[in-house]
Amino acid sequence: MLQRLSRGFSILGRCGIRTASTVPTNQAYPGEEVEVSATVKRIRAELAADKQKLKWRTPIGDRPEDWSSKLKLFSNAEQTSDFIVMMQKPIDLSPRNIRQWWENREERIERHMQQFVPERHKILGAELAAAHFILYRGGAVKFINDTHWRRASEDGEFNLPNKFDPRYKVEALRCDNMELYYEGLENIRCLDSLKFLSFHNVKTFDDWCLDRISGGGFPHLEVLDLSGTEITTNGLACLYRLPQLKLLILEDPKETLELELATVMLEESMPALKIVGADAIHS
């Protein structure tokens, strides 16, 4: 009897081992390779084929059989939409087109040069950084307790500290006739003592620029000159951010009926504000 029981347990043990060995597992024993079924192989092959179909075709010039020019070194690697549009246009070497290309190039360079530089503000502080930025580009700055405006010399030189000095607080800025872009306006911000700000005849100043200026942190700004700019009725709505504004100078507040209504509503919402035309100030 005991011999029969022992034989039965041995048979069950063998079956249990065989049964456990047939259960699928993701772990492979040392020296063994996991066998991949034919279904998994087929699915992987289909996925690889689908990915290959979804890929963009190889650009012309990158295929082995394509002819490649040495001028490819000067091509645009980003392949942006502007570059694609330019390549679709016929080559125009007329003097007018070359002049337009040169002007666009100069504008891109100037926009890049006017970008905000954090290191400059860390070294100079917001007040002196704004003064350096404006004077370097032909503007004028007036500090608190100064009796005169500061401007750069004919050689572009001016006398200002090259590191932070708490005694210098900007009270007024003149950016008249400057070539000032949206990127450069970020250098004019956080001027708590600023009361006068002029953008007279800045042709690149539009509604987007006014929106950035209105949120630049000028809690005591009282006079804002926007005459000769590209400001429209839509841009005037952001002036509510300047609660202390008392005088707004526009080219002609009555140029259109829409502009006249906008100025009337602005004066009604800001009782301390007075809007005048440029002829009443600059004449």
Side-chain angles (χ1 to χ4, degrees):
M1 183 71 179
L2 292 174
Q3 290 178 356
R4 293 180 179 177
L5 289 174
S6 61
R7 290 177 183 174
F9 282 123
S10 63
I11 293 172
L12 289 175
R14 294 172 185 172
C15 294
I17 293 172
R18 291 176 182 175
T19 305
S21 63
T22 58
V23 176
T25 176
N26 295 329
Q27 296 180 355
Y29 295 99
E32 296 182 357
E33 294 182 359
V34 179
E35 183 179 357
V36 181
S37 64
T39 305
V40 175
K41 291 181 179 179
R42 179 177 56 81
I43 293 174
R44 290 179 178 175
E46 291 178 357
L47 289 175
D50 291 340
K51 289 181 179 179
Q52 190 66 26
K53 291 179 181 179
L54 292 174
K55 284 183 178 180
W56 291 96
R57 65 179 178 86
T58 306
I60 297 175
D62 293 345
R63 294 175 294 188
E65 65 273 13
D66 291 338
W67 176 78
S68 180
S69 171
K70 294 181 179 180
L71 296 177
K72 184 180 177 182
L73 297 173
F74 303 96
S75 64
N76 189 350
E78 297 180 359
Q79 299 292 326
T80 59
S81 59
D82 294 338
F83 177 75
I84 295 174
V85 171
M86 182 190 71
M87 293 299 295
Q88 292 176 347
K89 293 181 179 180
I91 299 177
D92 184 6
L93 297 179
S94 63
R96 178 181 179 183
N97 191 59
I98 294 176
R99 184 170 59 253
Q100 184 64 37
W101 171 83
W102 183 261
E103 291 176 356
N104 294 337
R105 177 181 177 274
E106 292 294 322
E107 180 180 336
R108 288 196 301 270
I109 294 174
E110 185 60 27
R111 285 180 182 272
H112 177 75
M113 295 300 294
Q114 291 187 13
Q115 288 182 355
F116 177 74
V117 181
E119 292 77 10
R120 176 169 53 195
H121 277 247
K122 289 180 181 179
I123 297 173
L124 297 172
E127 308 281 343
L128 283 173
H132 276 263
F133 180 81
I134 296 300
L135 290 178
Y136 179 78
R137 287 164 176 81
V141 180
K142 185 176 181 298
F143 295 97
I144 293 180
N145 299 325
D146 270 1
T147 57
H148 62 281
W149 289 85
R150 300 197 182 202
R151 296 181 181 271
S153 63
E154 295 181 357
D155 299 330
E157 307 223 347
F158 47 87
N159 186 17
L160 281 180
N162 56 4
K163 61 181 180 179
F164 175 72
D165 191 335
R167 297 174 299 175
Y168 287 83
K169 297 291 184 181
V170 178
E171 184 180 22
L173 287 176
R174 280 192 177 277
C175 308
D176 301 352
N177 303 305
M178 285 178 54
E179 188 177 356
L180 192 59
Y181 294 99
Y182 180 83
E183 291 80 359
L185 295 176
E186 195 173 358
N187 295 280
I188 309 172
R189 64 177 188 176
C190 301
L191 304 179
D192 296 334
S193 303
L194 186 67
K195 294 184 178 181
F196 178 90
L197 181 58
S198 175
F199 294 101
H200 176 62
N201 279 342
V202 179
K203 302 301 181 182
T204 54
F205 195 93
D206 55 10
D207 293 339
W208 295 100
C209 297
L210 182 59
D211 180 71
R212 167 161 281 189
I213 287 296
S214 64
F218 310 122
H220 299 98
L221 185 63
E222 298 180 356
V223 180
L224 180 61
D225 189 352
L226 301 177
S227 59
T229 62
E230 299 298 323
I231 295 298
T232 65
T233 306
N234 299 329
L236 298 179
C238 63
L239 292 178
Y240 73 92
R241 300 173 183 165
L242 304 173
Q244 300 297 324
L245 193 62
K246 298 180 181 178
L247 180 62
L248 176 63
I249 305 172
L250 300 177
E251 186 65 27
D252 184 8
K254 298 182 180 181
E255 182 179 3
T256 61
L257 180 60
E258 184 181 8
L259 181 60
E260 185 176 2
L261 291 175
T263 55
V264 170
M265 294 176 64
L266 190 60
E267 287 179 331
E268 185 176 354
S269 62
M270 303 173 66
L273 177 64
K274 182 179 181 182
I275 302 176
V276 299
D279 55 349
I281 302 296
H282 296 288
S283 60

